[in-house]
Amino acid sequence: MTTKDIGPKNPVQKGADATIDFVDERSGVKTGTRWFLFRNIPEGTSWFQTLGFTAMVVFGMQAITGIILAMYYVPDTQGGAYKSIEYITNEVTWGWLVRGMHKWGASVMIIVVFLHMARVFIWGAYKYPRELTWVTGAMLLLLTMFMGLTGYLLVWDQKAYWATVVAVNIFASAPILGPYIGDILRAGPEFGPATLSRFYSIHMLVIPGAIATFIGLHLYFIVRLGISEPPWSKRRLRIERDEEDARRAAAREKAKALPGSVNYPASWPVEAEEATR
Amino acid sequence: MKPADKKAYDKDYAQAKKTGKPFFPYAIYKDTIIAGLTVIATIILAITVRAEVGEPVNPATTDFVPRPEWYFYFAFELLKIFKNQDALTPVIMATFMVPNIMIILLVVWPFIDRGPERRIWKRPFALGMTVIVTGLLCYLTWMGANSPAGVASQGLPLSGLDEQATKGMDVYMANGCGSCHMVAGVGAPGPGPDLTNEGAKGWDNAKMIAWFKAPKAPMPSYASLPPEDLENLATFVNGLGTKYK
């Protein structure tokens, strides 16, 4: 698009433009933004297609509240972990709210991710060409579940401790690899201080990193392949109706052309079919 | 999908995109509204239902109720269904087979269902799967939410208990065994098997104590109990259904 120069610009705007141009020249950020934000999507996308974005926002909320919690949390089995949770809940300004949001955010995220998956499944949106988008999404679901499992222990109260002991036992009981997985999760043969540090690290660093990576891949696939169209969008229904009409017209022609068939008046089948529609 | 179907889909989707609208702002405004409402709902939940702090961990006391978060209730209930060591309902079904089969199916599903049809009412198998899996998950979660948390404190309705067995029953009660096992109709119906007739197995105390110390998952180890308690508990459990009814 060409614009007419209508005179000297505000120097601030000039500076801003120059900066953006400088960055764009080297990074292609303008093209990227256009590719991401101003790509066309099919008309009539549904409200159900907002769940993926919502899951991402909830993940962002979990990241932010999680970072705040990490500022106070101490992964110490000698009472430090439990005391730091008490401290966050009772002493820190808004601490109870941040912890509550993080705790409830986990449940909300599981629900949103599940609904998102159900929407994709029911719409057949995982079919060609979006198979890999589904696979990365399935990974994200599993990672979200693991997030819930590892975060549970960090509170270090009786309920969390014993539920996690049982869960790790279950992992460790798997054939062949089970004992190794158990040792890796527990950081040894017994549940102890090293286990808490390990769960802390897995919960804060390993899984969030993996989730961020898979969200990146997931988004790349979505933008590259485009968001799926509802299988019953107005446009699809119109096409299906046209196809049906064409099929019927062809059938009528065929019936007419058959030797020995009754010659119906031209208007008859159309009217009959209009009535049944 | 056959190459022709792929081509047809690509052509159709290109058409949809051409007659479509830009992502910004036509889709993002809906996204923002729903995501915003979800975050607000979370904040309201956090304010109204406060996150509490339970009892601090004490690995020495095994008096506990191993209940997971609600989103793992389905797995927990699965443990109750496959709680026996027999061939029909082995524990490994719940701890390994069923979860892993579900995970593999989940990941590879697009490579199993490759037909071009996307309308759900023309995909009866997929529709059936949706209903069955969602229904089962909801049912198991509901069951988990309503499962009894512990065992009645008044004791077990057993007779014929000698001194050692009474001590063993006290150990049984004090360590929350009843939150996973049932004896004579008292206790939780799982994840552990019903112990009413456990004595019929004919195990000796040494074997039973070895089991307490290193049991099969999901049962946790009770190696931290004093040897005396373990001995009494083993006597008690080994007599269930035979000496103590």
Side-chain angles (χ1 to χ4, degrees):
Chain A
M1 198 167 47
T2 52
T3 48
K4 231 191 224 165
D5 193 354
I6 51 163
K9 270 184 182 171
N10 178 338
V12 176
Q13 197 184 341
K14 230 175 174 175
D17 281 357
T19 313
I20 291 173
D21 284 344
F22 177 90
V23 175
D24 182 48
E25 214 175 353
R26 281 148 189 85
S27 65
V29 69
K30 271 185 177 171
T31 324
T33 312
R34 225 173 280 137
W35 182 72
F36 182 74
L37 277 185
F38 300 107
R39 66 203 149 99
N40 258 20
I41 53 162
E43 205 173 2
T45 49
S46 153
W47 284 93
F48 289 109
Q49 283 169 295
T50 61
L51 289 164
F53 182 85
T54 304
M56 200 170 76
V57 168
V58 176
F59 175 69
M61 182 179 80
Q62 292 299 82
I64 293 168
T65 51
I67 287 168
I68 296 171
L69 291 175
M71 291 170 180
Y72 299 96
Y73 181 73
V74 185
D76 165 34
T77 51
Q78 303 304 314
Y82 183 80
K83 273 197 199 108
S84 67
I85 295 283
E86 267 190 331
Y87 182 71
I88 291 166
T89 314
N90 301 326
E91 304 290 329
V92 178
T93 316
W94 301 106
W96 60 272
L97 180 65
V98 173
R99 187 175 161 232
M101 280 174 72
H102 198 73
K103 188 202 151 146
W104 285 108
S107 295
V108 168
M109 191 161 165
I110 299 250
I111 293 170
V112 171
V113 166
F114 182 81
L115 289 177
H116 176 48
M117 191 186 79
R119 191 281 291 172
V120 170
F121 189 86
I122 290 168
W123 288 28
Y126 52 82
K127 297 193 171 196
Y128 171 85
R130 299 186 182 81
E131 293 95 333
L132 291 181
T133 324
W134 170 275
V135 172
T136 52
M139 292 300 163
L140 284 168
L141 173 68
L142 297 177
L143 287 168
T144 307
M145 301 291 278
F146 268 109
M147 212 55 174
L149 186 75
T150 49
Y152 197 47
L153 180 69
L154 303 185
V155 183
W156 206 249
D157 61 9
Q158 278 289 72
K159 201 180 159 199
Y161 178 83
W162 289 107
T164 312
V165 167
V166 171
V168 171
N169 268 356
I170 290 173
F171 280 106
S173 73
I176 305 164
L177 284 178
Y180 301 100
I181 294 170
D183 283 355
I184 290 169
L185 285 174
R186 280 187 299 249
E190 297 287 335
F191 241 77
T195 317
L196 182 61
S197 313
R198 183 151 298 192
F199 268 61
Y200 181 57
S201 154
I202 292 174
H203 184 79
M204 284 192 30
L205 301 168
V206 180
I207 304 179
I211 289 185
T213 310
F214 276 105
I215 287 180
L217 277 171
H218 202 67
L219 274 183
Y220 173 74
F221 282 131
I222 290 162
V223 177
R224 185 187 146 85
L225 302 169
I227 190 166
S228 66
E229 191 183 20
W232 39 84
S233 69
K234 272 186 196 151
R235 195 191 66 88
R236 278 303 314 166
L237 292 178
R238 202 161 54 229
I239 290 173
E240 272 155 33
R241 208 167 56 224
D242 290 350
E243 276 171 359
E244 186 65 16
D245 283 352
R247 202 182 54 77
R248 287 185 188 195
R252 264 199 311 271
E253 286 303 313
K254 210 174 157 193
K256 249 191 227 169
L258 274 176
S261 67
V262 188
N263 250 337
Y264 294 108
S267 63
W268 179 78
V270 181
E271 278 165 1
E273 277 166 15
E274 290 294 328
T276 56
R277 193 171 284 166
Chain B
M1 239 190 220
K2 293 188 202 89
D5 288 331
K6 287 185 183 177
K7 229 175 179 174
Y9 180 80
D10 286 340
K11 203 180 144 200
D12 185 59
Y13 188 74
Q15 182 63 33
K17 221 171 163 167
K18 218 169 115 191
T19 58
K21 288 175 167 178
F23 172 71
F24 181 91
Y26 291 101
I28 196 100
Y29 95 88
K30 288 182 182 172
D31 286 346
T32 316
I33 289 173
I34 297 295
L37 288 176
T38 309
V39 172
I40 290 170
T42 313
I43 294 174
I44 290 173
L45 266 173
I47 292 173
T48 50
V49 190
R50 299 286 177 100
E52 78 284 11
V53 192
E55 286 286 302
V57 164
N58 183 358
T61 64
T62 38
D63 170 22
F64 66 97
V65 184
R67 294 286 181 274
E69 274 286 8
W70 70 267
Y71 40 83
F72 288 114
Y73 276 165
F74 71 96
F76 176 72
E77 286 300 310
L78 216 55
L79 288 173
K80 284 193 187 172
I81 297 172
F82 299 104
K83 64 184 172 186
N84 301 317
Q85 306 286 348
D86 59 22
L88 260 180
T89 52
V91 175
I92 197 170
M93 283 295 285
T95 58
F96 187 73
M97 305 289 277
V98 174
N100 281 295
I101 289 171
M102 294 310 281
I103 289 171
I104 291 168
L105 265 182
L106 174 79
V107 173
V108 305
W109 181 258
F111 308 102
I112 298 172
D113 175 21
R114 289 178 299 181
E117 183 57 63
R118 280 157 211 261
R119 289 164 293 181
I120 189 71
W121 58 87
K122 299 216 169 170
R123 294 154 56 215
F125 184 69
L127 181 61
M129 285 274 285
T130 312
V131 173
I132 291 169
V133 172
T134 312
L136 221 61
L137 281 178
C138 290
Y139 175 71
L140 291 177
T141 304
W142 183 80
M143 290 286 286
N146 288 301
S147 81
V151 59
S153 54
Q154 72 272 17
L156 303 168
L158 297 169
S159 57
L161 294 172
D162 46 46
E163 195 193 338
Q164 208 183 1
T166 312
K167 278 184 188 160
M169 189 176 81
D170 291 344
V171 176
Y172 179 93
M173 300 301 287
N175 288 289
C177 303
S179 51
C180 289
H181 293 283
M182 192 179 264
V183 171
V186 174
D194 192 320
L195 298 177
T196 310
N197 283 312
E198 192 63 13
K201 276 187 183 170
W203 285 18
D204 61 14
N205 281 8
K207 193 176 176 186
M208 191 52 87
I209 289 170
W211 173 270
F212 291 150
K213 284 181 174 169
K216 249 192 197 170
M219 182 169 161
S221 168
Y222 286 82
S224 63
L225 287 181
E228 189 190 317
D229 281 4
L230 283 173
E231 189 66 39
N232 292 338
L233 184 60
T235 310
F236 170 69
V237 172
N238 278 334
L240 284 172
T242 49
K243 280 188 272 178
Y244 324 123
K245 293 183 197 175

